[in-house]
Amino acid sequence: MDAEAVEKLQRAGLKVDQPELLRVAIQRDENKKVVPPRGEVPVMGNEGLVLTTLKPISQLWTGSTVPPDLSRTPPPQYHPFLLLLESTAANYCAAIGRPETDDEFERLYRQLRRRPDGTDPHPLFAYLQGAARLYMSLRDVSQAEFEAVVNRLSQSAKWHSSHVGSTNYYREVLQGLFGA
């Protein structure tokens, strides 16, 4: 958790008590092309949009909580984190006007788990990082919990994949949950 980020978002009028209702806004350049966030993360709530600097994921790990097995239905306390990450993925697909493939979702989630502060040429990676950084700025999350949540998403994308180029994860999970 990052008390400084919490205070900044609260001062800007955003309600931080329900992080799953916040969004990492998808940004476009002057040519309407989606671009990854640079430096500041665009955080949006019903109250408006705030550009805020958030710490890297590895600096936000708190404590040593060991998560339960998330391979089945995750316990309710993990739903807000999962929802924030998946809503970011759904919003990104809506912004570009097409779904990413199951394989690409799996790769991006796996990359996020393995290299949380790393880079990837795919713009969605930076948005997923931004969503994780936002959630972890508002709630205590151990490294093991972070890895378990992101691994759960990677496994979900893999499980939905039926063939090269399939978009089942988007259609059956993201679109079903968020109407993207």
Side-chain angles (χ1 to χ4, degrees):
M1 193 165 140
D2 180 1
E4 234 177 85
V6 170
E7 185 182 326
K8 181 176 181 179
L9 293 170
Q10 284 177 326
R11 269 185 290 149
L14 294 180
K15 296 178 182 168
V16 298
D17 56 328
Q18 293 181 295
E20 69 275 17
L21 299 180
L22 297 174
R23 297 288 174 259
V24 175
I26 308 301
Q27 298 178 306
R28 298 177 183 275
D29 64 13
E30 60 278 348
N31 298 322
K32 308 250 187 245
K33 181 182 175 195
V34 171
V35 294
R38 307 247 189 258
E40 294 183 315
V41 175
V43 179
M44 190 169 67
N46 289 337
E47 305 80 12
L49 177 77
V50 177
L51 290 173
T52 189
T53 302
L54 301 173
K55 292 179 181 177
I57 291 170
S58 63
Q59 291 180 22
L60 293 167
W61 288 320
T62 306
S64 57
T65 302
V66 177
D69 178 14
L70 300 183
S71 63
R72 298 192 189 275
T73 303
Q77 68 263 31
Y78 292 95
H79 291 181
F81 196 8
L82 291 160
L83 285 171
L84 183 54
L85 288 166
E86 288 187 316
S87 68
T88 299
N91 289 339
Y92 177 84
C93 291
I96 64 170
R98 64 174 172 73
E100 290 296 336
T101 66
D102 301 331
D103 292 342
E104 188 64 4
F105 276 120
E106 179 191 0
R107 185 190 75 76
L108 289 169
Y109 289 135
R110 201 173 54 241
Q111 173 81 335
L112 183 61
R113 182 177 51 82
R114 289 181 180 163
R115 300 189 62 214
D117 296 332
T119 60
D120 190 276
H122 197 299
L124 177 53
F125 183 77
Y127 284 103
L128 292 172
Q129 276 180 322
R133 291 166 56 205
L134 172 60
Y135 185 84
M136 295 171 71
S137 293
L138 303 176
R139 297 289 182 270
D140 288 336
V141 178
S142 70
Q143 181 176 355
E145 288 176 303
F146 167 79
E147 290 173 355
V149 164
V150 179
N151 188 57
R152 166 75 162 105
L153 295 173
S154 175
Q155 291 302 311
S156 182
K158 182 178 182 177
W159 183 82
H160 282 88
S161 181
S162 59
H163 60 279
V164 173
S166 69
T167 58
N168 298 327
Y169 173 71
Y170 173 81
R171 287 185 301 102
E172 296 170 9
V173 177
L174 301 182
Q175 196 172 34
L177 282 174
F178 306 106

